[in-house]
Amino acid sequence: MRDRQRAKTIEDVARLAGTSRATASRVLAGSPAVSDSARERVNRAAADLGYVPNAMARALATGRGDRIVLGIVSPQPVLSVDLYLGRAVTAATQAATAAGVGVSVHVLPLGAPNPLADLAADRTVCGVVLFNTTFGLLTSVPRALAGRAVSIGVGSDLVPSIDVDNGGAAREIARYLYATGRREIAMIGGPRWMPCTLRPRQAYTEVMASVGLPTRIVYGDFTADSGRESAARLLAQWPETDAIYASCDATALGVLSLLGERRIDVPGDVAVVGFDDIPYAQVGWPPLTTATHPVETIVEYAVQTVLAGRPGRADDRIFDSHLVLRRSA
Amino acid sequence: MRDRQRAKTIEDVARLAGTSRATASRVLAGSPAVSDSARERVNRAAADLGYVPNAMARALATGRGDRIVLGIVSPQPVLSVDLYLGRAVTAATQAATAAGVGVSVHVLPLGAPNPLADLAADRTVCGVVLFNTTFGLLTSVPRALAGRAVSIGVGSDLVPSIDVDNGGAAREIARYLYATGRREIAMIGGPRWMPCTLRPRQAYTEVMASVGLPTRIVYGDFTADSGRESAARLLAQWPETDAIYASCDATALGVLSLLGERRIDVPGDVAVVGFDDIPYAQVGWPPLTTATHPVETIVEYAVQTVLAGRPGRADDRIFDSHLVLRRSA
DNA sequence: CTGAAAGCGCTTACAG
DNA sequence: CTGAAAGCGCTTACAG
């Protein structure tokens, strides 16, 4: 009873199984080079003892590291966590945990000299998933991170891009608004320092050009507040606006809020479309028309790519988005 | 250049500083028992080398563990992550990361035989933060976790409770609704298996009793969908209802959605109050009256308590909540 | 297929 | 105040 206190080690398992530590280690690691008899004895012993391998010791011995870091580029040195980041962190933690590794988040301040140097030197990190990546950051990724760094956003020749097809979504949204008769279509773009906001902007611009409509862009920061402000600015500058495409749902909800306050009918007077399809998109009034953004799927894929750690850069991977028609447009 | 590849170890630092590994370790750990000269040389060497200590090796040597686990009780074996859990996981990850430890999340299925046994045996975990705790789970907490387990929710004689004063919030809300003339006040409670939903229910019941009003409770599951359903049930059973208090904002937004759809005026016909003060509370229409829930602060405090790892049970800690008046009530 | 041995990078009594 | 040495719990060439 007394020794219940001390956690069981592989040594205990080996002793009970009557093998060496090396053999116990082999069967526990699933190596095929062991006799059936040994395999059986070790497995039984491990089960009897309630053996839980010490991941740190294993990571130390293999030199593989035991945590993956989420590197989040941020204009402020202190991170402000919105719903997107919350979903991402949670999904990453789940995926990593399932693979037996932990997670930590690092803020990468915009414009810091060499933000990734420490991470590359840290043997405990098996890989890094970058968020809100900039081109500047991408050039500072140390070669030591090659093969175990991915970017949810833009990529480079070293770092694969794993992202949603937000350009395609923007195109679909713009076309839908045009097809449903809107002729004064405005867009609220994301923060200009984020390169991943470029494609939606381009897609919107292209669609407008192709149907001979003017372009009306204003920039927000992905918050609901900026949706309110942006809508007010839009309405002031182009009172005839009959559709607003916000590049995320939070911002679109802010737009809805301002329009509600001003008793502007949605979608009668102004159609509103978001992007992300967050849970709160469907509970407001009117429910928001938007396009899907499979954040969890993307992040899980990113974590697995990093963990796979194959030599060389992994392939880019773009996930589909599709329109979800509700009542706001 | 070539040896840039190999991460620097404390051995490298010691060699460059001209000391033993032991001395280098002491100054890096901040031990006072070192000469100023040694301290200075070691610190300079570490800086020059860009030395990053290997947290795994340190944890192995000290036996302290290098990650804290978030144990989330769930009725389903697979976790459904709502905004609350997303905020909690993110805040925990930030707090833990700042202390140099990682995080993993474990689902603790409701009614599993001995859900915490593995965790107690795992030397890599320095502590655990429990979410959605039940009394049953609490009784199964192994003594080995004493002093390094806390509960965001109900506690036990082994596990301190760290939580928001949701009872006080419920009392304030109920009184406010009564004070503003409501006389048919209904409540949508949280899931019945969560003991932390008990205090708000009790507070509501007590206030109603104290002013001689009947009690009208229906149970949701903290989702917006259940807010819609619960509101429909409430209206069917008690058509005269003039106020609905939902025990979380997501549910309250669902209520607002159903009421909007039925063209029931809020707050004219029915007042609606939530709890949590999530960002989305203020962007819908009408903006939601609710009470604050400092999730991040609470989780950060919990992580720090676990990391402090003092012998014996830490004190309970209840965080204040206050009413935020907007337009829905 | 198996075991003895060295090693992963740190910390910490123990002597001095 | 300092260093040599043992140890944390694993894995993995290396020999057999």
Side-chain angles (χ1 to χ4, degrees):
Chain A
M1 266 306 170
R2 175 62 45 81
D3 64 350
R4 269 279 177 73
Q5 304 299 31
R6 199 173 63 67
K8 301 306 180 189
T9 71
I10 200 171
E11 181 79 57
D12 299 318
V13 173
R15 192 180 313 121
L16 181 58
T19 72
S20 69
R21 233 155 68 223
T23 297
S25 173
R26 288 191 193 97
V27 354
L28 262 13
S31 157
V34 269
S35 67
D36 288 348
S37 141
R39 186 188 319 284
E40 194 173 319
R41 271 147 48 218
V42 169
N43 280 331
R44 185 183 358 261
D48 286 356
L49 256 26
Y51 170 68
V52 178
N54 184 325
M56 300 182 300
R58 186 181 337 229
L60 222 210
T62 59
R64 260 198 285 280
D66 70 342
R67 68 225 264 168
I68 115 165
V69 354
L70 274 24
I72 305 178
V73 179
S74 161
Q76 288 87 32
V78 50
L79 190 60
S80 81
V81 176
D82 57 11
L83 182 57
Y84 169 71
L85 246 27
R87 289 171 71 187
V89 171
T90 306
T93 307
Q94 281 192 70
T97 298
V101 316
V103 153
S104 20
V105 350
H106 281 242
V107 178
L108 307 171
L110 208 54
N114 207 355
L116 259 31
D118 277 5
L119 293 182
D122 187 339
R123 306 279 284 249
T124 73
V125 349
C126 27
V128 6
V129 178
L130 264 17
F131 290 85
N132 301 350
T133 324
T134 62
F135 292 117
L137 181 78
L138 246 18
T139 67
S140 83
V141 172
R143 298 210 73 83
L145 249 25
R148 48 199 192 98
V150 303
S151 167
I152 314 273
V154 292
S156 69
D157 54 335
L158 209 64
V159 181
S161 161
I162 299 179
D163 208 350
V164 67
D165 181 16
N166 52 7
R171 193 169 307 114
E172 206 180 347
I173 289 167
R175 283 184 184 148
Y176 170 79
L177 288 171
Y178 180 78
T180 52
R182 308 290 168 171
R183 291 298 178 269
E184 318 280 350
I185 305 172
M187 170 178 187
I188 304 177
R192 307 198 67 162
W193 63 268
M194 277 195 211
C196 61
T197 64
L198 196 68
R199 284 185 314 213
R201 223 147 64 212
Q202 247 166 12
Y204 159 80
T205 306
E206 281 168 17
V207 173
M208 292 302 104
S210 75
V211 297
L213 252 34
T215 235
R216 295 165 177 178
I217 310 188
V218 125
Y219 298 92
D221 63 1
F222 286 156
T223 65
D225 275 351
S226 84
R228 291 180 52 90
E229 290 159 21
S230 300
R233 249 184 304 155
L234 242 26
L235 259 21
Q237 194 166 353
W238 298 291
E240 67 282 15
T241 297
D242 63 5
I244 299 177
Y245 154 46
S247 46
C248 82
D249 282 354
T251 300
L253 291 177
V255 173
L256 245 27
S257 164
L258 184 94
L259 264 24
E261 198 175 304
R262 299 206 180 164
R263 309 289 166 192
I264 296 177
D265 186 51
V266 177
D269 299 328
V270 178
V272 176
V273 183
F275 176 66
D276 279 341
D277 195 26
I278 61 175
Y280 296 92
Q282 47 186 317
V283 303
W285 190 260
L288 188 65
T289 288
T290 185
T292 58
H293 184 174
V295 178
E296 285 76 11
T297 307
I298 293 175
V299 170
E300 192 184 330
Y301 183 88
V303 167
Q304 272 154 8
T305 302
V306 160
L307 257 23
R310 53 189 70 180
R313 177 183 184 282
D315 289 331
D316 284 347
R317 179 82 148 78
I318 303 305
F319 287 79
D320 280 342
S321 170
H322 65 266
L323 210 51
V324 178
L325 263 27
R326 284 196 272 255
R327 312 185 66 141
S328 67
Chain B
M1 266 306 170
R2 175 62 46 78
D3 64 348
R4 270 280 177 73
Q5 304 298 30
R6 198 173 63 67
K8 301 307 180 189
T9 70
I10 200 171
E11 182 78 57
D12 300 317
V13 174
R15 191 179 315 120
L16 181 58
T19 72
S20 69
R21 232 155 67 223
T23 296
S25 174
R26 288 192 194 97
V27 356
L28 262 11
S31 158
V34 270
S35 66
D36 287 348
S37 140
R39 186 187 322 282
E40 195 174 317
R41 270 147 48 217
V42 169
N43 281 331
R44 182 181 2 259
D48 285 356
L49 256 26
Y51 170 68
V52 179
N54 184 324
M56 300 182 298
R58 187 184 334 232
L60 222 210
T62 59
R64 263 198 283 280
D66 70 341
R67 66 227 261 167
I68 114 163
V69 353
L70 273 24
I72 304 179
V73 179
S74 159
Q76 287 89 31
V78 49
L79 190 61
S80 81
V81 176
D82 56 12
L83 181 58
Y84 169 70
L85 245 28
R87 290 171 70 188
V89 171
T90 306
T93 306
Q94 280 191 73
T97 298
V101 316
V103 153
S104 18
V105 351
H106 281 242
V107 178
L108 307 171
L110 208 55
N114 207 354
L116 260 29
D118 276 6
L119 293 183
D122 187 339
R123 308 276 285 250
T124 73
V125 349
C126 28
V128 5
V129 177
L130 264 16
F131 289 86
N132 301 349
T133 326
T134 62
F135 292 118
L137 180 79
L138 246 18
T139 67
S140 84
V141 173
R143 298 211 74 82
L145 248 26
R148 48 200 193 98
V150 303
S151 167
I152 312 275
V154 292
S156 68
D157 55 335
L158 209 62
V159 181
S161 162
I162 298 178
D163 208 351
V164 66
D165 181 16
N166 53 8
R171 192 170 308 114
E172 206 180 347
I173 289 167
R175 283 184 185 148
Y176 170 77
L177 289 171
Y178 181 78
T180 52
R182 308 292 169 169
R183 289 299 178 269
E184 319 278 350
I185 305 172
M187 170 177 188
I188 304 177
R192 307 198 66 163
W193 63 268
M194 276 192 211
C196 60
T197 65
L198 196 67
R199 284 185 314 213
R201 224 147 63 214
Q202 247 166 11
Y204 160 78
T205 306
E206 282 167 18
V207 172
M208 291 303 104
S210 76
V211 297
L213 251 34
T215 235
R216 294 165 175 178
I217 309 189
V218 123
Y219 297 93
D221 64 2
F222 285 157
T223 66
D225 276 349
S226 84
R228 291 181 52 90
E229 291 159 20
S230 301
R233 249 184 302 154
L234 242 27
L235 259 22
Q237 195 168 354
W238 298 291
E240 68 282 14
T241 295
D242 64 4
I244 299 178
Y245 154 45
S247 46
C248 82
D249 283 352
T251 300
L253 291 176
V255 172
L256 245 29
S257 164
L258 184 94
L259 263 24
E261 198 175 304
R262 298 204 180 165
R263 310 287 166 192
I264 295 175
D265 185 52
V266 177
D269 300 327
V270 178
V272 177
V273 183
F275 176 67
D276 279 342
D277 195 26
I278 63 175
Y280 296 92
Q282 46 185 318
V283 302
W285 190 260
L288 188 64
T289 288
T290 185
T292 57
H293 184 173
V295 178
E296 285 77 11
T297 307
I298 293 174
V299 169
E300 193 184 329
Y301 183 88
V303 166
Q304 273 154 6
T305 303
V306 160
L307 256 25
R310 51 188 73 180
R313 176 185 186 280
D315 289 331
D316 286 347
R317 179 80 148 78
I318 303 304
F319 288 78
D320 281 343
S321 171
H322 66 266
L323 210 52
V324 179
L325 263 27
R326 285 196 270 255
R327 313 187 65 140
S328 69

